[in-house]
Amino acid sequence: MMAAPELGTGPAVLAVDVGGTQLKAAVLDGAGRLGGVVRRPTPRSAEDPGDAIVVGVAALLDELQRPDQRIGAIGLTIPGVVDEAAGIGRWSANLGWRDFGFRDALAARTELPIAVAHDVRAAGTAEARLGAARGVADAAIVVVGTGIAAALRIDGHSYAGNGSAGELGHLVIDPSGPRCACGKHGCLETLAAAPAIVRTYQELGGELVSGAAEVLARAQGGDQRAVHAWSSATSALGAGLGALSALVAPELIVLGGGLAEAGDALLGPVRAALSDYCAGLNVPRLVRAELGHDAGTWGAAILARDALLTR
């Protein structure tokens, strides 16, 4: 079992990782240890989805602040297209904001320095510094959960492009496939993300299930509809990773997010599909993320600590 990672001594910070269904937060203490992760449902508002997140983060700061440990900054990771330099969430297909200034709004509410980053790029930074991608110059950290996205690391550096690099979930795999929240049809996340697995299973006549983990359990129990739903998703994910590999040729692909909790039940068939789609090309190594569900939270902590130390 991997030893608990540490960042070393420095100021205490609040790390907040915003996901499609959960908002996760923890305090990184002065010794660089991440405290217990608190999970809350992601706040939503049709009228002002960005401000709903800001209000939720401020409430978590009040909840986790201790008299004996002053929090010096907040690291916030968000999904979608992110202008990290300006602290703006440009667009989130799943949560609904457009051009929302997270950094300025949260700073005004908390009076703390705020650092904002793309959730998966932050998770990729954490895996590169503390987890499965340590020492690897060219890697892709792919998070598969409610949506799908990749953090690209080239020559040891994070690559963000114009803020939208790594939106692997919106790579079209099947133009005749289901309509995506982004407006296109057949995006990877409509075929291989956790909700897609549930949808496919139920479209095949399967019973109501609580999530993709239950579909996998039914597949392992011999339910052929579940077997088909799981196989379709892993094949699509292999196709998406094959396209990624053809373009940027990473040495390593790290799979994280909720779906990666399935372990070899996911990695095995995805690895086989990836090999097929990489015929004639170098096949990257495929491994499971080491930091698990907490990679984004660690990424937010690194973000906040680095922002304070470089001021």
Side-chain angles (χ1 to χ4, degrees), residues 206-265:
E207 300 173 12
L208 289 174
V209 290
S210 60
E214 188 174 345
V215 177
L216 174 59
R218 287 171 182 255
Q220 292 171 327
D223 183 332
Q224 290 305 302
R225 292 165 298 191
V227 169
H228 180 78
W230 190 260
S231 176
S232 295
T234 56
S235 178
L237 185 54
L241 297 181
L244 173 67
S245 299
L247 288 172
V248 297
E251 173 189 341
L252 175 74
I253 295 176
V254 178
L255 275 188
L259 215 60
E261 297 301 306
D264 287 341

Side-chain angles (χ1 to χ4, degrees), residues 187-214:
C187 290
L188 179 59
E189 64 183 48
T190 70
L191 304 173
I197 294 171
V198 173
R199 188 202 66 245
T200 301
Y201 176 64
Q202 292 177 346
E203 286 176 349
L204 292 169
E207 300 173 12
L208 289 174
V209 290
S210 60
E214 188 174 345

Side-chain angles (χ1 to χ4, degrees), residues 90-131:
R90 292 297 181 194
W91 171 66
S92 170
N94 294 323
L95 291 174
W97 57 71
R98 281 190 178 273
D99 295 322
F100 185 83
F102 282 96
R103 185 181 64 197
D104 291 348
L106 190 54
R109 186 174 284 269
T110 64
E111 298 183 342
L112 288 176
I114 309 297
V116 177
H118 184 271
D119 56 349
V120 176
R121 278 196 291 277
T125 296
E127 287 289 344
R129 191 176 299 190
L130 302 170

Side-chain angles (χ1 to χ4, degrees), residues 267-291:
L267 267 69
V270 171
R271 191 177 283 119
L274 174 61
S275 294
D276 288 342
Y277 284 106
C278 285
L281 303 171
N282 289 329
V283 181
R285 290 187 292 124
L286 183 68
V287 301
R288 183 178 171 186
E290 289 184 2
L291 300 178

Side-chain angles (χ1 to χ4, degrees), residues 3-19:
E6 294 184 4
L7 277 181
T9 58
V13 297
L14 175 64
V16 183
D17 180 28
V18 178

